[in-house]
Amino acid sequence: MAKKLWGTRFSKITHALTDKFTSSIAFDQRLAKYDILGSLAHAKMLGKQKIIPQKDAQAIIKGLNIILKDVQSGKFEFDLDAEDIHSNIQELLVKKIGDAAFKLHTARSRNDQVALDIRMYLKSEINDLVENIVGLQKSILKFAKSSAQVIIPGYTHLQIAQAVLMSHHLLSYLEGLERDKTRLKDAKKRIDAMPLGACAFSGTSLPIDREFVRKELGFATLTANSIDSVSDRDFILEVLAALTILSVHLSRIAEDLILWSTNEFNFIDIDFSFCTGSSIMPHKKNPDILELIRGSVGKIHGDLSSVMILMKGLPSSYNRDLQLDKPPLFDAVDTMKDILEIFMALFGNIVIEKEAIISKVRDESLFSVDIVEYLIKKGISYRKAHDIVGRMVIDCLDKGKKISSLSNEQLKKYSHKLTPDIRNILNAQSSVTLKLSYGSTNPKLVAKQLDKWSRRL
Ligand code: ARG
């Protein structure tokens, strides 16, 4: 192992187990790009402020740029014996440019360095995640448009409830995903503060120019307290919480599609290319992708819990526990990116079983509330109307008999307000068309929502 950044004060070399146990290079290597970009800005600032000679600053910048190229082209070979990515790059710079490299760490600590790296990583990842969410929203919108005229039975408590447009149901997904997007963008505002200059935790007596580094790295603001700069990871918690909520949304969408693709529902057919089979039951075509999406909530919520518990009770300033924030953060971001990518593709590979759906919306129990509202419009109180329709349910629907096939006389027995025109509303099309409240499943209102989303996305 290379000499530690802090090795001189140690009277003995560290035990191999200590090195292995404390090293983070295995996972923080993915911060390499941000670490170098941060170092480049820092070196420029040190030269400009004459804290180090310009020629040393130039040598550092040249060396770092060579290393950056290797990192970006995938040629960089990480030293798995290094303590972390910061030490790895520092050591390599020494090899490349010699003693001038030792000046890079002036007025800097790995404590503010790692805080910077994660903030830069997250700013970039949030952009990608938001883009991927938009991609999924577009894919859902396209599917919603293809289903614009389709009416499905809607469910509450997984019991058949009322007729709704399938597109209305699908657009409900876009609303939640939109909030997920704004949650991430909002978290990014607080991530967008530059911590370098906090050094170990108390700042520095050297005449650094934090504002210069902020501008170089494109941050919106500076962190205002050096202790806070190295202590807190609340911004990671915010992102993980936003990703957990997003994953809960995605699990609900996945669950809907799993149900809809069963023989029992038969609303949709998912293309073979996005299903898997069974090693024992030859007839099976399983929605494993959707099940894995549903199951991933456990993983992502676990990542949130992991960092939350890690943070709880830590004293102020930097503590090594904070090194452990990265594996769960990376896991959650990676998992979510994979989910969004495959979900987007899967939505383009679903066929709607229109014929099968039509037969399902003939169930007149779907229209019980429409009959109640028909009676209310004729002046009957809600309570009485509910009782009237309740009796019709017992006599007809529970016995497999249709309300629409009752004679005029039979209708009158329930209420004299039940005139023959009631039969006109006992179909799915009337049921959705009768709705008029803003946000309801009325086809004209849903068409407007489809338009709104097409313009917005
Ligand atoms: N690898 C550490 C982390 O990820 C940064 C190193 C800070 N180490 C230290 N002894 N102050 O947080």
Side-chain angles (χ1 to χ4, degrees), residues 235-250:
F235 60 95
I236 292 185
L237 291 174
E238 282 192 53
V239 172
L240 289 174
L243 291 181
T244 302
I245 298 171
L246 169 57
S247 73
V248 170
H249 282 155
L250 296 178

Side-chain angles (χ1 to χ4, degrees), residues 24 28 84 86 110-111 114 318 320 322-323 326:
S24 55
D28 66 13
D84 52 30
H86 326 294
R110 284 178 296 162
N111 299 355
V114 73
Y318 181 83
R320 192 63 173 263
L322 293 174
Q323 176 165 293
K326 283 169 276 306

